[in-house]
């Protein structure tokens, strides 16, 4: 197998990066099943640790990630996806990237603008 | 505390990204001590899971990472460092990025060129 899923209890970190701009969008987790479905469908599928099941990114919001490229690191235990983020925002809080806050003088400062209003997208 | 180290056994994933080019260089792990030393010294310090101790990146090779920016994700359980990679290569195999291989037709293909020869840098 090309990816070392035997490490770390079968869950590996997967980074999603905007294929065009290089922005790091998010980090989530993959088990073997999520990885294989991602490779097969060319859409990002993660494993949700909180819900303990496969998480087909965008299944609720429609903001799927179209996978352009899949890279592995030197230890084959971290996955890097270069993606086209449909809808322009990867974060459930409505930002393009989940990394929308910066640490500055011991405080977190928001450094991005919302792409969508989470209340409109996730009708709960 | 700004970062949620209580999750996942105290070890959080930390992504290092080239501050200039946006290339994702590597993913490593941080415990609270590694994170605090990184914030204080502005040099990337990780926690090595294999050696079970702090890993001051570059302590052996000289290829330290000067931290330009520290971002947190929406769940405050993943760290993104924007760094200046001294020596031009983050990977112990001599590549700029640890993600030097791409998955293509069920095979890993090297998509980068070596910046240095690991045998010269890590004299063992």
């Amino acid at each position: 197998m090309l990816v070392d899923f035997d490490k770390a209890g079968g869950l590996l970190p997967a980074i999603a990066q905007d294929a065009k701009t290089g922005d790091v969008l998010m980090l989530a987790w993959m088990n073997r099943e999520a990885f294989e479905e991602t490779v097969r469908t060319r859409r990002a599928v993660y494993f949700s640790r909180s819900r303990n099941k496969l998480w087909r990114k965008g299944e609720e919001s429609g903001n799927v990630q179209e996978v352009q490229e899949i890279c592995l690191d030197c230890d084959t235990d971290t996955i890097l996806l270069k993606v086209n983020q449909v809808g322009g925002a990867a974060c459930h809080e409505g930002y393009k990237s989940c990394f929308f806050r910066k640490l500055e003088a011991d405080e977190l400062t928001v450094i991005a603008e919302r792409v969508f209003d989470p209340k409109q997208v996730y009708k709960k």
Side-chain angles (χ1 to χ4, degrees), chain A:
Chain A
M1 183 58 184
L2 299 169
V3 188
D4 189 0
F5 280 105
D6 295 333
K7 261 189 213 167
L11 279 189
L12 299 181
I15 303 163
Q17 181 182 28
D18 187 305
K20 277 213 197 85
T21 65
D23 288 347
V24 174
L25 299 176
M26 57 181 282
L27 180 139
W29 303 85
M30 285 190 181
N31 62 1
R32 189 185 300 271
E33 195 186 349
F35 179 74
E36 287 176 354
E37 188 172 318
T38 299
V39 170
R40 200 173 63 242
T41 63
R42 306 304 285 185
R43 281 197 177 180
V45 178
Y46 303 103
F47 184 85
S48 168
R49 296 183 299 174
S50 56
R51 286 175 283 163
N52 201 39
K53 62 171 193 171
L54 285 192
W55 166 34
R56 293 173 179 90
K57 172 72 182 157
E59 61 192 343
E60 199 179 345
S61 64
N63 295 339
V64 300
Q65 293 176 335
E66 299 166 347
V67 176
Q68 314 283 319
E69 200 172 302
I70 302 174
C71 294
L72 271 294
D73 78 342
C74 45
D75 298 323
T76 61
D77 62 3
T78 302
I79 298 147
L80 175 64
L81 304 178
K82 301 193 183 173
V83 305
N84 171 37
Q85 174 64 63
V86 170
C91 183
H92 72 289
E93 295 209 24
Y95 294 95
K96 177 180 185 185
S97 164
C98 292
F99 299 93
F100 59 85
R101 288 170 306 179
K102 173 182 169 177
L103 186 68
E104 219 167 20
D106 283 336
E107 283 188 19
L108 290 176
T109 310
V110 173
I111 53 171
E113 294 200 4
R114 278 209 162 94
V115 175
F116 67 75
D117 176 357
K119 285 189 211 113
Q120 297 296 315
V121 171
Y122 304 96
K123 293 173 190 92
K124 281 178 185 169

